[in-house]
Amino acid sequence: MSPKPEAPLYQTIYAVLREHLVREAFPAGLVLGEANVARAFKASRIPAAAALKRLNEEGLIGGFAGRGFIARGGEASPKPLRLELSEAGLVLPAALEADASPRNIGLRIYPEVEHAVAASLAYGRFMLNESALAEHYGVSRTIAHEVLTRLARTGIIVQEANQRWYAGPLTAESIREHYEMRWILEPVALRQAFPKFTAAELTARRDRVVRAQGGERGIMELEGIEQDLHIDTVARCNNRQLLQAVQRSQLLLIATHATFRSHRTGNEISTMLEEHRSIYDLLLDGDLDSACRMLETHLHRSMHPNIEMVDRLGPMPEAARLPYLTPVERGA
């Protein structure tokens, strides 16, 4: 796993589309659907759908009688216009254009596959189908194999004697083990990382928590807050071996937040936010020892609600199923 996690693809899609919509670069009535957005960005429909949902919530696109959304382009009720986004004026940033090589496409889809597989593990054990993964993303079997090999290096999946790839399950015992690793190692990483932060950077992270306490509690906002503290902040520690050990235990647990979103209580979210805010307040006061103790306490407390949520999950929702993940019956 790379030392610095890559930004989720939906954030990139959202940012590029938002910039085009704000300056009305698309013609009025342009239909924006999961399929044409995914094609334009050489992605799957999952990040495309997440980006469109956020744009719709912000009022930059609107629904219509057909499937998907439309760009209003300054008009109240424009006539739907179906075009490929490249024909409609989409200009991708140079960095995305440079990512068009097969190798870079594999690197681009990896974070999404990693997150999707990790988030599914609380539902049981799965077999990963290499051909289905390649078809889902429109890539070669070689790229799909490289993605799965990289996943295996993180410990999320294993290749067993039958040469098939398997993932899961995430059990109460494995959750305890991962949390124990985190409360031992994350405070050490935070202590090393702290001197590399400016007060402005820490304040920006704290302000994001405060906004969530005020009501901005969408799943993307909550995942961003978790990433701010537990991933991006500790990622500035000096010891790369320490960081990689932390990241291995973080990945499965932070990815489950999307899985658990309908099972997290308002009280649990409020407590989490208050603890994050307290850590930033202590760091801004220069009280590193207390901040590290608070981080350890926060991780100890967080373990039990997550174990309880595994018991409450039930079967995987149909909407969360992916064509390259096949549930494996117990004992199989």
Side-chain angles (χ1 to χ4, degrees), residues 61-326:
I61 56 179
F64 70 111
R67 296 184 63 182
F69 304 92
I70 57 172
R72 298 197 185 282
E75 296 183 19
S77 301
K79 182 179 179 181
L81 175 64
R82 298 183 182 278
L83 293 172
E84 290 298 322
L85 299 196
S86 57
E87 300 175 78
L90 177 68
V91 178
L92 294 176
L96 279 181
E97 290 283 11
D99 277 352
S101 70
R103 179 178 181 277
N104 286 339
I105 291 172
L107 292 175
R108 282 177 54 200
I109 69 173
Y110 176 81
E112 182 189 332
V113 178
E114 180 186 71
H115 189 282
V117 173
S120 72
L121 301 188
Y123 291 108
R125 177 170 163 83
F126 294 85
M127 183 180 73
L128 287 85
N129 185 302
E130 191 174 289
S131 297
L133 178 64
E135 183 178 352
H136 183 67
Y137 285 98
V139 298
S140 68
R141 285 279 301 272
T142 300
I143 292 176
H145 182 80
E146 290 174 355
V147 169
L148 294 178
T149 300
R150 187 177 173 191
L151 274 176
R153 289 199 294 269
T154 70
I156 297 178
I157 67 173
V158 294
Q159 188 174 34
E160 297 190 353
N162 61 5
Q163 299 303 302
R164 293 177 178 174
W165 303 94
Y166 293 92
L170 184 63
T171 63
E173 185 57 33
S174 60
I175 289 174
R176 286 190 189 93
E177 291 175 353
H178 284 302
Y179 265 105
E180 184 174 1
M181 289 293 291
R182 290 182 65 188
W183 70 57
I184 291 171
L185 298 178
E186 282 191 39
V188 178
L190 177 61
R191 191 175 294 278
Q192 290 187 8
F194 175 68
K196 299 181 181 180
F197 279 91
T198 65
E201 289 174 310
L202 294 172
T203 299
R205 283 165 164 75
R206 180 188 179 277
D207 289 347
R208 187 169 184 172
V209 176
V210 172
R211 288 195 297 272
Q213 288 181 307
E216 295 181 24
R217 296 186 176 185
I219 185 60
M220 288 186 285
E221 285 74 22
L222 293 176
E223 284 195 23
I225 286 169
E226 294 283 9
Q227 177 159 325
D228 278 348
L229 177 62
H230 297 294
I231 295 180
D232 294 344
T233 299
V234 302
R236 296 196 191 181
C237 74
N238 300 321
N239 188 320
R240 309 318 297 175
Q241 297 301 318
L242 168 64
L243 179 59
Q244 288 174 11
V246 170
Q247 288 174 329
R248 279 194 294 273
S249 286
Q250 286 176 335
L251 175 61
L252 296 181
L253 301 174
I254 292 177
T256 59
H257 289 169
T259 306
F260 293 165
R261 63 181 177 269
S262 61
H263 296 266
R264 300 179 81 183
T265 66
N267 287 339
E268 166 60 22
I269 293 172
S270 295
T271 301
M272 178 273 286
L273 293 172
E274 185 58 36
E275 289 171 350
H276 277 232
R277 181 175 178 174
S278 296
I279 292 167
Y280 289 125
D281 285 340
L282 291 166
L283 292 173
L284 287 165
D285 288 342
D287 190 349
L288 180 58
D289 289 340
S290 295
C292 290
R293 286 194 296 270
M294 183 68 220
L295 175 58
E296 182 179 350
T297 299
H298 165 62
L299 290 168
H300 270 277
R301 186 206 57 77
S302 299
M303 178 183 72
H304 299 291
N306 280 275
I307 290 174
E308 291 169 2
M309 280 187 281
V310 170
D311 294 333
R312 298 201 306 267
L313 270 185
M316 175 182 276
E318 193 61 38
R321 296 182 183 275
L322 293 167
Y324 56 85
L325 286 174
T326 303

